[in-house]
Structure formats: C-alpha cells, structure tokens
Amino acid sequence: MKTLNPNVVVRETAQPAVLPPEKTLLDMLYYMQMTRELEFRIERKLYRQGKIVGGVYVGRGQEAIAVGSCIDTLAADVVCPSHRDMGAFLIRGMSVRTILAQYMARKTGATRGRDGNMHMGDMKHNLIAFVSMLGDNVPVAAGIGMSFKMRHEDRVVLCFFGDGATSRGDWHEGINMAAVMKVPVVYICNNNQYAYSTPLERQMAVENVADRAEAYGLPGEIVDGNNVIDVWGAATRAINRARSGQGPTLIECKTFRMTGHSAHDDAGYVPSALFQYWEERDPIARHEKFLIERGLITREGADEVKAGVNREIDAAIQIAENDPFPEPEDCLKDVYYEG
Amino acid sequence: MALTTYVEAIKQGIWEEMESDERVFVLGEDVGIYGGAFKVTAGMLEKFGELRVIDTPISESAIVGAAIGAALMGMRPVAEMQFADFISCAFDQITNFAAKCRYRWGAGVPIVVRGPSGGGVHGGPFHSQNPEMYFVHTPGLKVVCPSTAYDAKGLIKAAIRDPDPVIYFEHKFLYRRIKEELPTEDYIVPIGKAAIRRKGTDISVITYGAMVYTALDAAKELEKEGIELEVLDLRSLLPFDKEAVLDSVKRTNKVILLHEDTEIGGFAGELAAVISEEAFEYLDGPIRRITAPNTPVPYSPPLEEFFLPKVADVMRVARELNAY
Ligand SMILES: Cc1ncc(C[n+]2csc(CCOP(=O)(O)OP(=O)(O)O)c2C)c(N)n1
C-alpha cells in the first residue's frame, strides 16, 4: 500500500506493537463470523425466499472494519454506521432478532417497519440510523462530537462511509467542520474500491481517500481493512486522540466488496481476478489462522464459533418470522412527538 | 409490432435525440459501464462513447452543476439521479442556478434532470419519494411526470429539446409493467398538455403518474354501477394544462384530484384553488382530494399499502360524490 501524500501514515500489515487482550481477539472472531453468517442468511436465503423485500446490501469481505473499530467503544460512545457495517449493530447490542425483524419488515424490527434493511438505529445503543443519502452522516457526526465537546463529556463518535460517499459535498463540509472544531470524531472509510459499478479511479483523482485528510487539516491513516487487528490498532489510536481532545481522524480501510452492490447485482463489471485476490485475504480466515497459530483457539473451536452463531441465527429467525407485521394504520403514527 | 416498455421508451427517446443532435449527452452515477441502475442508459456507452455517456462520482450537486455549465455553453445534458430521492442533494443547483438564469440575465439552461420516483416497490423512505412539488414550486423550472410508454418517449424528447430546465420524473413502478406499441416515426409530447385517458360524464378524476392506472381501474369497476369517470392525465405539472382541467370539470361538474404524493402542499391543492377560482359555478359537489397521507413513505408492505392511494379509495369517494 503506497500513498502519494507524505503526511499520510501508512502502516504495513506486520503485527502491531500492541495487541488487544485475548478476550477481545476472540470476540472479534465471534462478531465477524456472526456478521457474515447473518448476512449470508439475509442475502442468500431470506431474500431469495421472498421473505425480505426491497433492497439488500451486505458487507461480505469487509467484516473486519466495523468489528475492529467498534469492539472497544464504550456504551456512552456513539456510532453512525453506513450500509455495510452490520458488525456495528451487533457489537453495540442490537439483537439478532431485532435485526432480522427489521429486514423482514416486522413491527418488532428496529424501525417498526417504517424503514428496511440496515436503515436502522437505536438511541438506547447510541446507534444513529443512516439515511440513504450517502455522506449525510458525516456532518451529523461532527455535531455529535461538538455536543460532547460543549458539555465536556468523555465520549467519542465513530462515523462510517464508503469510498463513493467521499465524493459528496456533505462529506467535505462535514470533515472540514469537524477538523476546524477539533471534535472527537473518528471517520472510518471502507474503501472497497467500487461504488456500485464505479471503480475508484472514476470516483476520485487522488489515490487514497486518506490523502484528502491533509487538505482539511486532520490526520489520515491507511490500514489493511481485511486485518481486524490492524483496524483495531488504527481505531484505538484515533479514539485515544479524540478522547484526549486532539480532534478527528480519518481512517481509510483498504478492502474489497466480495459481492455485487446489492442482492440483485451480479457484479459482472468486476474482474474475477480481483475477487480471487481478495478471497485469499479473507478477514475471517486470516483472523482464525492468527488465533490458531497463537494457540488461542483450535480449528475445532473456530468451527464451533461458526456453528454457534448459526444456532443463534436459527433461533432468531424462528422468532422474527413469527413476529407480527405492523398494523396498516401505524403508518400515520410518530411523524411528530406523541408523548 | 413489438411492444415497448415504459423504461425502454425513455431509453429510445434519449437514444434518438443523441443520434440526431450531437449536443445531447448523458451523465450520472453508473450510467455508463452498468447502463444505469434501472438500465435506462444500457448500451449507450458502447454506441456513443465515453465523452457522451459519463459515469460520474457520487456527487449529485456536481452532476447538475456540471450539466448547467455545459448547457450554458450550448450542450444538451441529460442528468440522471439514480433515484429521484437523491435529487435533494442537487436541490440548490436546480432551484437557484438552473431555475433563475434566464430570468436574471437571459441565459437559458436547457438541461434535463431525470430519475425514478414513486413507491409500490418496497423501497422505503429513501427510494420511493415523489419529490415533484419541491420543483413545481420553483418558477423557471418545468416538471413532467409521464404515465405511458408513448408519453415517456415523447416527453423525454420534448424535455431534451426544451430551451429551459426540465425535471423529468419517471415512475419506477411503471418501468416494466407498462408497455405499448410506439410509432416508428419521430414524435414529441408537448410539455404542458394533458391527455384524457377515459371519457366520462359523471366525475373527473385529475391525476398523473402511476395513479392514472388506479383511476382507470376504479373507472372500470364503477362503470358497472353506472358511474362514468373521466380520467384526465396531466402529464406535465409545470406548466399544467389548465384548459384541459377546466374543460373536463365544466363537463362533469364533479372532480376528484388524485396523486401518490402526500396531501399537504401536493399538486391537488393547487388544482383545487384553480378550479374553485375559475369553475366554481360549474361544481355540483365538493372538490375531493385523494392523496397519500402526510407521512414518509414507509417500507413494510402493510404500511406502504396503507400509504398508497388505492382503487377502493377512488371508488368510495366517487360513490360519495355521485350521491350529490
Ligand atoms: C446521494 C446518493 N446518491 C446515490 C446513491 C445510490 N447509491 C447507494 S450505494 C451507492 C454506492 C456507494 O458506494 P460507496 O460509498 O463506495 O459504498 P459501498 O457501497 O461501496 O460500500 C450508490 C451510488 C445514494 N444512496 N445516495
């Protein structure tokens, strides 16, 4: 990974100097595996069975990004996920049943059927629901950070987006404002190299999203987004900066979207060699290998993690599928405060 | 002859204009290699090349702004919003730059901004909106909402040839559900002209977009009860065909204003004002509106079903009006 910008810190995939504690390392595997298996069921089963309608977007191959960066957030911290950050919802405590009910348009879903798929949030978990308009969450995150700063609260906000979203004016306005106000925000880009069918070189004339940081006066850091420990390391540094009043950081996670843009897109425009290249860098397989080599888990133990999340998902699907749909008249409620 | 779908008709219209006028080009997200999220521009990159079929960054404001710049220099850009919902991101360029150039300094901005609008496909609050009224409220713009394949083609051609900015909303529910045989020769549908879709003597239903079919389905049912609806498809909202509206109302003396957009500030309010100002004497009953409720477009099927105006709503209101 190279960068044209001398001010951008590039960390190679070598072991970081500090490792997270063992429990965190094992939790990382659990959450990545849960993300993948849950999204597999959503995209390849429930959607194809017609049990989920509308659009479905998954983050296959990108699981390390939300997991590595959210795993050490505190309950009071705030997360603004984007559309491929299932791990953020899971780590912040949204239940698998609530998520599935959301996708299946049930009353028990996070938005009670008002919205679909990962367009969901919950103040209880300090999870801010994103709107489809890409990049709109970037200035919002700046404002969340601003409120922490005004009230001298020791809290940080993590804000996620893709490479394509960084072309939006709102992204630039939000990043600039966050930098000017030195607010405690960690901006995390999943650079999966495609925005729908549009490859990176059609999206921006700079090589890296992180190159943009310098223009706004905040540090940019590039990490291997398929290495959960690297992501964790970068997020930890940025969170510490934010907590100590040094302002926002832009982290760019290099990764790849191992599916089409959405469930109906076969990604025929992506050269198959790219899929192959990134398949060999699968974040879950890599983390399993790391844990096994360190003696933190056995092969059987890792397989059991996968089997375990699938049992959890089975149970949650059972419940969510029997959950009620909203009453039609619910359409009219909650446009304004109702007490 | 083969039937042409609504979506194919839009494509044909753009394609033919690009063939006959080299100033015409398209730009937008994923319009080139991918051929557009709904395939409206499929095959254009291969046919017309990269200079005229431009895949842009995700920058709606810059897409429209760049279209305006090119138009000021004599080009005829057709800008795609991947979903009409995202037109909000280009609001400023459209309503301030494009809409006010001619009035202020005599410079025309012949751009077309088009995109899929409307619900019925479980798209949720950000992939189902009907944003027409934000633009109908802006003098200097034109706004069209075709309902048939014939009009989809004729209006996109008229929009491209128009000397002023035209916002073209295509209803995504109709894309592949509506098809008909189209003339082989060149034609346009003039902006600002409505079309009577069904002649009737008892009640005028004035509508546009996908709701034209809701009105026609209701008319078919009500016919059995001896109630004859006239269905007037506005096709253009700005400017709209006032004459056709008043003419229909004066003949039937009763009117239902139907749209998928929400109620407050919807086009029905404007129509109601015009009808009561200019045809009050002819009315034999109250002007009735049937619209979506004043909420976002919900995702869950039972909620969305509740949200969208239905055939049953038209039938109920028509029966009530008929009793006057
Ligand atoms: C303002 C806006 N324009 C267009 C879209 C349609 N759209 C949804 S996702 C997407 C691609 C997003 O690419 P990127 O930001 O790189 O995220 P990725 O999907 O690759 O994770 C597009 C164009 C949108 N959601 N918002």
Side-chain angles (χ1 to χ4, degrees):
Chain A
M1 263 173 282
K2 54 186 172 26
T3 165
L4 302 173
N5 184 338
N7 294 316
V8 172
V9 186
V10 184
R11 298 196 186 253
E12 288 306 332
T13 320
Q15 293 310 323
V18 195
L19 277 181
E22 281 181 17
K23 174 168 185 321
T24 307
L25 286 167
L26 292 168
D27 285 351
M28 285 169 166
L29 178 62
Y30 168 84
Y31 283 115
M32 287 199 291
Q33 202 63 266
M34 178 58 98
T35 300
R36 177 161 306 175
E37 296 302 307
L38 179 57
E39 290 193 329
F40 179 83
R41 295 296 189 94
I42 286 169
E43 188 199 27
R44 302 289 161 96
K45 302 281 179 210
L46 297 167
Y47 176 76
R48 291 184 185 177
Q49 292 162 358
K51 291 176 181 170
I52 294 172
V53 294
V56 163
Y57 317 80
V58 298
R60 186 148 55 254
Q62 308 181 189
E63 294 88 348
I65 298 168
V67 170
S69 42
C70 290
I71 196 110
D72 273 352
T73 54
L74 305 176
D77 295 335
V78 173
V79 178
C80 307
S82 184
H83 58 292
R84 303 195 200 277
D85 303 309
M86 180 65 88
F89 295 97
L90 295 167
I91 289 174
R92 301 296 301 177
M94 192 176 277
S95 75
V96 177
R97 178 258 184 115
T98 302
I99 293 168
L100 283 163
Q102 163 81 6
Y103 277 77
M104 291 196 268
R106 306 305 161 114
K107 198 183 172 103
T108 48
T111 63
R112 292 148 298 140
R114 267 66 178 277
D115 208 339
N117 52 53
M118 67 296 151
H119 293 84
M120 56 181 171
D122 191 341
M123 273 308 177
K124 195 165 70 240
H125 303 301
N126 284 319
L127 275 168
I128 307 298
F130 98 118
V131 300
S132 292
M133 290 66 191
L134 300 162
D136 275 14
N137 60 356
V138 171
V140 171
I144 292 169
M146 185 169 75
S147 72
F148 298 161
K149 196 171 165 174
M150 291 161 80
R151 300 190 303 225
H152 306 289
E153 291 172 352
D154 180 19
R155 301 165 75 183
V156 298
V157 48
L158 273 56
C159 177
F160 292 85
F161 42 82
D163 42 288
T166 73
S167 296
R168 281 286 322 287
D170 282 49
W171 188 89
H172 291 265
E173 293 182 25
I175 292 273
N176 181 55
M177 189 140 147
V180 169
M181 299 195 303
K182 266 196 169 225
V183 290
V185 189
V186 182
Y187 288 112
I188 301 160
C189 177
N190 76 70
N191 181 351
N192 60 17
Q193 309 182 49
Y194 276 87
Y196 209 149
S197 74
T198 305
L200 205 62
E201 65 270 18
R202 291 253 164 194
Q203 196 66 242
M204 56 192 76
V206 290
E207 194 179 348
N208 306 290
V209 170
D211 294 347
R212 295 184 155 159
E214 198 198 3
Y216 296 109
L218 77 164
E221 182 167 350
I222 297 173
V223 292
D224 178 349
N226 283 26
N227 183 329
V228 68
I229 300 172
D230 279 6
V231 174
W232 171 86
T236 303
R237 286 186 289 278
I239 289 172
N240 289 341
R241 282 190 78 246
R243 286 202 201 286
S244 60
Q246 296 176 74
T249 304
L250 172 60
I251 299 172
E252 174 181 6
C253 304
K254 302 279 193 190
T255 185
F256 200 72
R257 194 189 72 201
M258 296 300 287
T259 59
H261 166 66
S262 61
H264 70 265
D265 171 22
D266 66 4
Y269 47 82
V270 177
S272 59
L274 270 176
F275 282 126
Q276 245 168 343
Y277 176 92
W278 288 93
E279 183 67 49
E280 287 157 19
R281 285 154 185 80
D282 180 76
I284 296 181
R286 273 167 85 183
H287 192 54
E288 282 182 344
K289 185 160 173 281
F290 172 86
L291 294 176
I292 292 169
E293 279 172 9
R294 292 254 162 170
L296 294 175
I297 204 167
T298 58
R299 182 65 259 167
E300 297 69 42
D303 292 343
E304 179 47 32
V305 171
K306 183 170 170 177
V309 300
N310 273 297
R311 285 192 296 272
E312 275 188 71
I313 295 166
D314 285 334
I317 289 177
Q318 279 270 315
I319 300 171
E321 261 192 307
N322 290 305
D323 277 344
F325 282 99
E327 310 299 327
E329 301 75 27
D330 282 357
C331 172
L332 300 175
K333 293 188 194 143
D334 301 316
V335 179
Y336 302 100
Y337 180 66
E338 291 179 3
Chain B
M1 225 192 100
L3 300 179
T4 305
T5 59
Y6 179 100
V7 68
E8 179 67 21
I10 302 167
K11 176 175 153 181
Q12 279 184 11
I14 301 172
W15 192 287
E16 289 176 14
E17 292 304 296
M18 288 179 80
E19 277 186 320
S20 63
D21 183 349
E22 61 186 20
R23 299 172 304 168
V24 181
F25 69 98
V26 301
L27 74 168
E29 294 149 19
D30 308 291
V31 298
I33 299 158
Y34 197 65
F38 291 94
K39 303 293 174 196
V40 172
T41 54
M44 287 188 186
L45 178 67
E46 293 74 9
K47 165 79 179 170
F48 299 105
E50 276 191 358
L51 282 176
R52 295 179 72 196
V53 183
I54 303 171
D55 271 326
T56 67
I58 302 175
S59 306
E60 283 75 10
S61 193
I63 292 168
V64 174
I68 294 169
L72 287 169
M73 293 298 110
M75 301 296 283
R76 294 277 168 154
V78 180
E80 173 172 302
M81 301 285 107
Q82 198 160 82
F83 282 81
D85 308 62
F86 305 138
I87 201 169
S88 55
C89 303
F91 189 77
D92 179 46
Q93 289 288 345
I94 296 172
T95 59
N96 286 318
F97 219 116
K100 297 175 181 36
C101 273
R102 183 178 297 287
Y103 184 71
R104 291 164 49 243
W105 56 293
V109 180
I111 61 169
V112 178
V113 181
R114 49 156 289 271
S117 63
V121 300
H122 315 309
F126 307 111
H127 292 78
S128 310
Q129 294 178 42
N130 293 290
E132 54 266 23
M133 292 309 288
Y134 299 116
F135 305 99
V136 170
H137 191 63
T138 304
L141 301 177
K142 296 184 179 180
V143 179
V144 300
C145 302
S147 73
T148 67
Y150 181 90
D151 286 357
K153 182 169 178 181
L155 278 170
I156 194 72
K157 284 171 153 266
I160 292 170
R161 295 179 198 178
D162 199 278
D164 288 307
V166 180
I167 315 299
Y168 180 103
F169 291 111
E170 42 208 58
H171 202 296
K172 68 175 86 67
F173 186 81
L174 305 180
Y175 270 156
R176 292 178 174 81
R177 287 181 175 87
I178 296 301
K179 39 175 106 80
E180 66 186 297
E181 209 171 285
L182 296 185
T184 45
E185 66 277 12
D186 179 50
Y187 72 93
I188 65 155
V189 170
I191 294 174
K193 283 268 168 274
I196 294 175
R197 297 297 175 203
R198 183 186 196 279
K199 274 279 191 191
T201 48
D202 297 328
I203 301 169
S204 297
V205 182
I206 303 176
T207 187
Y208 61 92
M211 286 294 127
V212 167
Y213 300 95
T214 306
L216 289 172
D217 288 350
K220 218 179 291 167
E221 289 301 310
L222 287 165
E223 192 181 80
K224 298 175 195 159
E225 302 173 19
I227 303 174
E228 293 293 338
L229 297 188
E230 173 148 311
V231 178
L232 183 71
D233 177 0
L234 289 170
R235 310 200 282 190
S236 297
L237 300 187
L238 187 64
F240 81 95
D241 193 343
K242 194 155 123 177
E243 256 170 63
V245 168
L246 294 175
D247 173 68
S248 179
V249 173
K250 286 176 183 176
R251 283 186 288 102
T252 62
N253 314 113
K254 289 176 182 172
V255 60
I256 292 173
L257 307 172
L258 167 68
H259 56 64
E260 186 183 310
D261 189 11
T262 49
E263 180 189 46
I264 296 175
F267 201 67
E270 179 61 26
L271 289 172
V274 168
I275 292 166
S276 61
E277 279 169 355
E278 302 195 23
F280 184 75
E281 306 290 313
Y282 294 86
L283 290 175
D284 287 343
I287 299 171
R288 295 291 302 269
R289 286 183 292 178
I290 302 172
T291 71
N294 297 306
T295 75
V297 190
Y299 162 70
S300 186
L303 300 180
E304 190 182 22
E305 167 75 10
F306 180 90
F307 175 88
L308 296 170
K310 285 167 281 294
V311 172
D313 299 327
V314 180
M315 291 179 63
R316 176 176 45 77
V317 174
R319 287 187 192 120
E320 286 168 18
L321 265 185
N322 198 51
Y324 269 85

